[in-house]
Amino acid sequence: RYKAENLDYITPGGIFRTRKESDLLKASGYMVIDFDHIPDTSGLVKKLANDEHFETVLAFRSPSGDGVKWIVTLPNIVKPDDTSYTYGEFFRIISNYSRKYYGVEADPSGKDICRACFLPYDPEAFLNPLYIEDDLVYDISRFL
């Protein structure tokens, strides 16, 4: 309740008329993965910022203070039969990947494309420089 009353939120999965999957106007090509109860949130943010298999758009400590939110660009790949992966299938792929490579479990609610992602103040957040306007100064070296 506190988050809903005090924090802004985004829906990284797309643009919606209302926050229901049936009201999806346009998919964004992004997904938020939420990891809860992480002992070293700064360390995980740095690892995710440097991930070589998924493009990290944004990684930050969650409003609870002991979790991490990871927003990634969904890869442009198709199944062997040339059909597209669903949002839920991409969630399963990225969840399995994060478990194997980082030893962290994704919150299963992330499979919902219309899921809200609350935005707390986190001065240690990683924002991919490709998404920053040229006139802003951003020190990426702390993540390398």
Side-chain angles (χ1 to χ4, degrees):
R1 183 175 177 179
Y2 176 83
K3 292 187 292 186
E5 292 176 358
N6 294 283
L7 298 176
D8 290 327
Y9 74 88
I10 57 172
T11 52
I15 299 171
F16 300 84
R17 182 171 294 111
T18 64
R19 249 188 60 226
K20 294 189 311 190
E21 187 171 356
S22 60
D23 283 344
L24 175 67
L25 299 174
K26 183 177 181 182
S28 66
Y30 302 114
M31 177 175 282
V32 61
I33 308 290
D34 188 10
F35 306 107
D36 297 321
H37 312 298
I38 304 300
D40 179 13
T41 56
S42 295
L44 182 57
V45 166
K46 287 182 181 181
K47 288 176 185 175
L48 297 173
N50 289 295
D51 188 87
E52 57 188 53
H53 295 105
F54 291 97
E55 180 181 68
T56 299
V57 176
L58 179 63
F60 58 94
R61 192 176 46 208
S62 63
S64 67
D66 73 341
V68 171
K69 307 257 187 201
W70 185 30
I71 299 178
V72 298
T73 302
L74 296 177
N76 189 18
I77 58 174
V78 293
K79 297 177 188 178
D81 65 359
D82 276 340
T83 59
S84 297
Y85 285 94
T86 66
Y87 196 83
E89 288 170 326
F90 272 124
F91 177 80
R92 191 169 45 252
I93 290 167
I94 298 170
S95 295
N96 290 338
Y97 173 82
S98 60
R99 183 183 311 109
K100 179 178 179 179
Y101 287 96
Y102 299 112
V104 293
E105 289 291 327
D107 183 323
S109 64
K111 67 181 177 281
D112 181 2
I113 192 170
C114 57
R115 181 167 188 248
C117 176
F118 290 97
L119 300 172
Y121 174 73
D122 180 5
E124 298 298 313
F126 169 79
L127 175 59
N128 190 319
L130 296 174
Y131 295 89
I132 299 176
E133 295 179 31
D134 291 338
D135 62 345
L136 296 176
V137 176
Y138 186 74
D139 180 15
I140 191 171
S141 65
R142 63 192 169 113
F143 296 100
L144 302 177

